[in-house]
Structure formats: C-alpha cells, structure tokens
Amino acid sequence: MGLHVGVHLRHDVTLVDAKRKVVEVQDLETGEKFSDTYDKLIVTTGSYPVASPIRGVNVENVFLCKNFKDAQAIKAASDQAKRIAVVGGGYIGVEIASSFAQQGRHDVLLINGRHGLLSHYVDRGLASRIGDDLRNHGVDLHDGEHVLEFDGDGDGRVFIRTDKGEIETDIVILCVGFQPMTELVAGMVDLDRSQAIIVNDQMQSSDPDIYAAGDSTVVRFNPTGQYAYAPLATNAVRQGKIAGANIINPGSIHYMGTQSTSALSILEHNMATSGLTYSRARKYFDDVDFVEFRDNYRPEFMPTTTPIEGTLVFRRSTRQILGGQFYSKLDISMCANVISVMIQNKNTVDDLGYVDMLFNPNFDRPWNYMNLLGQAAINKLDQPQ
Ligand SMILES: Cc1cc2nc3c(=O)[nH]c(=O)nc-3n(C[C@H](O)[C@H](O)[C@H](O)COP(=O)(O)OP(=O)(O)OC[C@H]3O[C@@H](n4cnc5c(N)ncnc54)[C@H](O)[C@@H]3O)c2cc1C
C-alpha cells in the first residue's frame, strides 16, 4: 500500500485545537486560511535563535544564523564586509569564525561572554588550545567579554557595546543559542523549564495524540539520565523517524536517548566530543575525575603522523565513562562515536582500556589511542591514594 503525503510548503499552522483535533492553516502565498483535522499530530516546529537580552538586534547588519535565508543574507553582506564580528563561542559561532578566518579576506572577531568557549563540549584546557589556534589564524578573540547592545551609525556600521568597551564592525553574526518554538501547543502538552515538549520514548507528549520531535522537544541525556534541551540534527532525525514509526506501529522503536555527540572542523583541526565535560559532570556527581592523553596516532617510522589529544571523563566509584573530547588534525570523529556507544552502554574505563581495537601501522599503534586513553584512566584510578 502506498502512503499519500500531502506537502504544503509556505503554509503556517496558526492554531492547534487539541480538544477538537483541528489545525488552522494559512497559505503564506495567497493569504487563504483553512482548517483540517488530524488523528495524530507530530509537532516539529523546531527552534528560534536566541537574541535577548542583547539590545539592538534589529540594527542593520546584525544577522541571526538559523536558516538558509539567514545564510544567504550573511553571505551577501560578508562579501562587502572588511570586519566581521561573531557573537557567541558555541559550536556555530566557532565554526563561522573559523570559516571566515580560513578565507583570509576579513578581519574576524569572535566575542564570547557568558560561558567559556565551546563550554558544552570541551573543558578549559582544550578550550584554551582552541582559542590559541583561532588567535594564531588571525581571529581577534574576545573571550570572557559580554555583549550588551548593538547600535548603528545609519550608514551600515555597527557598534557593539560590551561590559569592557565598544567595538566597531561592518557586520555582526549573532549565535548565542536556540530556544524551542512551542507556542502552538503550549497549555495542551507538558513542557519542561526551557519550554521544550516533554516526550516519552515513543516521542509521544502528555497528549497521546500529539507526538513531537527535533528542536521543539526535550532529549533524554544519558550521562545524567535527565531531560535536557540539546537542539541537534542528530536528535531531530532520530526522533522524527521514531515518532513516525510509533504512530504507524506503536511500540515498534524506542528512543535510546542521546549523548549529544558532536564534531566540528576548526581551521586545520577537528574536534569531536560526546557526553559530559568534567566541569559539567561535577554539577551532577561528586566523584568525577578525568585524564588527558596526547600521542602521535601512528608510529613515527610511517611517512607522516600527527598528534591526537583526548580527554576522558569518568566516575571514580563506578568507573563508568561520562564523556570524551578529542582534538587533532586527523579525522577523529569516530572516536566520539565510540565514546557515545560506551556511555550509552554504561561501559567503564576498564572496558575502554582493553576492548578489541584493530592494529595496523597505517592507522595506529599496537595499542590503539582509544585503548591508551582508557588505560590512562585505569592507571589514575588504581594509583594508591
Ligand atoms: C548554523 C547551524 C549549524 C548547525 N550544525 C549542526 C551540525 O553540524 N550538527 C547537528 O547535529 N546539528 C546542527 N545544527 C542544528 C540543527 O540544524 C537542528 O537541530 C535541526 O535543524 C532541527 O530540526 P527540526 O526539524 O527540529 O527544526 P528546524 O530545523 O528548526 O525546522 C522547523 C521547521 O518548522 C517550521 N515551522 C515552525 N513553526 C511552524 C508553523 N507554525 N507552521 C508551519 N511550519 C512551522 C519552520 O519554518 C522550520 O522550517 C545546526 C544549526 C544551525 C543553525
């Protein structure tokens, strides 16, 4: 049996009536309004880029960075700009600053205030290495500086007022986070503190006929076992598929939660992480520890080799792995995926130290660097106190 999918692009759902199971819709091209009914509704309304409490975000040449239209506007404005200021040192801000620095055509500023650079992903040591790499490639990094307000001169120049002074620039790209877009169903389904829709492991909200997926929902963050707001495409595609499958065949696929596994290219390096950083883990557990590891990924007798840096975060009492961070010129994205599976499966540092990993001098040493990272943690835990 073929499935019929009716696609309405450029249409806005303006109202959901969960009692009558009705949605009201407006065609954005013609303005025409109509309503329709549903048996099951899946809410995938996504997220807004956060702008407040910074004042003046509507000033000319201050851009948000969320969708294709934003990207086109940024591209057009940046082609004319000499000085580009990126506000926000999360993964999007760092990625954008790094891309502009690589082009070598602009003066690039990165202003990061409220939290440390990439603080959801890496601890201070690695953040400071990444900060140095950005500076060495010409990025004027203002870390620990808080943006308060934007102002324009009427000719397209932007003045950024911070807690440390004023900075003049041609354009600003604001990337300080996202918040769930859930007004349509507020009051009809349970939301968490961040206003994200709370869903069970079949992506069903507190209204059994309303499912939700993606940036509009919470995730179950496995390292803590608690709900969290972690707007990532990885969660969105998984949750979307699980919602659809469970509507057709209830109970067929269960959501496994997430470790927020992520990777980023920063200039010549790659960063890949999974789970909790040490500083975040300490907010949840009182027996957290970490080890750092650095070595060439393969033997020096090979034509080339390069260092790989890793951090492993774990609990002392259970020896359970809580997180991992990797940084290298090598593609280390799969290291974060290995740690992700191990957190998901509640593996210990002992498992990582001795799990079977391949050896071939093209790829690693007889002990793979992941095994060695696990063994560094074992050595630290087994040292007499
Ligand atoms: C610059 C950038 C880079 C990113 N890079 C990564 C990455 O490398 N890896 C990663 O995992 N994630 C990344 N993300 C996050 C990822 O893009 C999001 O997690 C993902 O797009 C969420 O998908 P979604 O469908 O839930 O929501 P969205 O992508 O926000 O889509 C929601 C859609 O719903 C529509 N909508 C909302 N309300 C209504 C309504 N009332 N009626 C009709 N339509 C409506 C919106 O117009 C929108 O098209 C990035 C995000 C950004 C902004």
Side-chain angles (χ1 to χ4, degrees):
M1 184 185 74
L3 283 176
H4 170 73
V5 179
V7 178
H8 295 270
L9 297 178
R10 304 272 306 136
H11 283 65
D12 242 351
V13 175
T14 51
L15 189 119
V16 173
D17 183 337
K19 284 206 180 97
R20 291 191 302 133
K21 293 192 171 183
V22 165
V23 287
E24 286 182 12
V25 185
Q26 178 164 32
D27 182 332
L28 296 175
E29 305 284 349
T30 63
E32 184 205 346
K33 294 180 182 169
F34 60 92
S35 39
D36 207 343
T37 57
Y38 64 83
D39 296 318
K40 304 282 179 191
L41 181 71
I42 310 183
V43 180
T44 58
T45 41
S47 58
Y48 299 108
V50 174
S52 63
I54 302 174
R55 296 184 297 272
V57 289
N58 294 323
V59 161
E60 186 188 0
N61 286 325
V62 175
F63 297 91
L64 294 170
C65 180
K66 163 72 184 170
N67 54 33
F68 183 55
K69 217 167 136 201
D70 296 336
Q72 284 178 311
I74 291 169
K75 166 90 178 61
S78 66
D79 283 345
Q80 313 299 322
K82 173 81 183 115
R83 201 166 157 83
I84 295 176
V86 180
V87 176
Y91 76 76
I92 292 173
V94 168
E95 193 166 41
I96 291 176
S98 147
S99 300
F100 279 122
Q102 240 160 354
Q103 286 181 15
R105 296 194 293 121
H106 309 278
D107 297 336
V108 183
L109 269 106
L110 176 58
I111 310 172
N112 183 56
R114 197 174 293 180
H115 307 290
L117 197 65
L118 292 166
S119 66
H120 272 77
Y121 306 92
V122 298
D123 281 300
R124 282 209 180 147
L126 188 46
S128 126
R129 283 265 293 105
I130 292 172
D132 289 345
D133 285 344
L134 288 166
R135 282 192 190 92
N136 291 337
H137 284 77
V139 176
D140 183 8
L141 177 61
H142 292 234
D143 205 8
E145 188 161 343
H146 205 107
V147 172
L148 305 170
E149 185 177 18
F150 302 115
D151 203 357
D153 70 352
D155 270 335
R157 301 280 293 166
V158 186
F159 299 97
I160 307 172
R161 296 217 174 88
T162 75
D163 57 351
K164 299 204 172 141
E166 188 171 274
I167 301 164
E168 198 180 332
T169 183
D170 295 320
I171 69 169
V172 171
I173 304 167
L174 186 58
C175 341
V176 291
F178 296 92
Q179 66 188 61
M181 194 188 292
T182 52
E183 293 83 349
L184 263 185
V185 288
M188 294 169 224
V189 299
D190 291 346
L191 305 179
D192 82 338
R193 268 188 324 165
S194 67
Q195 303 303 301
I197 301 168
I198 298 176
V199 282
N200 64 17
D201 68 356
Q202 295 185 42
M203 297 298 116
Q204 202 170 24
S205 73
S206 56
D207 177 332
D209 293 321
I210 300 183
Y211 288 65
D215 283 14
S216 58
T217 73
V218 295
V219 295
R220 196 186 71 231
F221 189 56
N222 289 325
T224 61
Q226 297 179 9
Y227 287 131
Y229 186 59
L232 287 169
T234 51
N235 296 323
V237 293
R238 258 195 310 276
Q239 292 181 327
K241 196 151 182 176
I242 292 170
N246 281 304
I247 283 177
I248 303 290
N249 188 5
S252 55
I253 311 180
H254 291 265
Y255 173 64
M256 286 192 273
T258 177
Q259 285 69 247
S260 287
T261 309
S262 303
L264 201 59
S265 251
I266 307 170
L267 301 158
E268 296 149 350
H269 283 84
N270 300 302
M271 178 203 89
T273 67
S274 185
L276 284 167
T277 61
Y278 175 66
S279 60
R280 290 182 75 212
R282 288 205 311 169
K283 294 180 183 150
Y284 295 93
F285 307 102
D286 57 11
D287 61 343
V288 181
D289 210 337
F290 72 98
V291 282
E292 290 173 318
F293 170 86
R294 182 188 163 100
D295 197 5
N296 287 330
Y297 80 101
R298 67 181 186 180
E300 290 69 23
F301 61 73
M302 296 303 285
T304 60
T305 187
T306 193
I308 179 165
E309 290 171 55
T311 302
L312 191 69
V313 180
F314 49 90
R315 290 190 70 180
R316 292 193 70 88
S317 57
T318 58
R319 303 167 82 92
Q320 206 173 313
I321 296 170
L322 294 175
Q325 304 155 36
F326 301 91
Y327 193 58
S328 178
K329 290 183 180 169
L330 191 71
D331 174 2
I332 33 73
S333 50
M334 281 297 155
C335 296
N337 285 339
V338 168
I339 296 296
S340 174
V341 174
M342 298 196 89
I343 298 172
Q344 174 90 58
N345 290 335
K346 301 192 184 328
N347 286 125
T348 63
V349 298
D350 309 276
D351 296 324
L352 180 60
Y354 290 94
V355 69
D356 178 44
M357 294 213 168
L358 66 86
F359 162 62
N360 177 276
N362 283 292
F363 302 103
D364 59 358
R365 300 179 192 271
W367 280 111
N368 179 274
Y369 36 84
M370 296 294 284
N371 290 138
L372 292 173
L373 182 61
Q375 291 178 21
I378 295 169
N379 292 343
K380 188 166 187 189
L381 282 170
D382 292 350
Q383 257 170 21
Q385 293 292 303

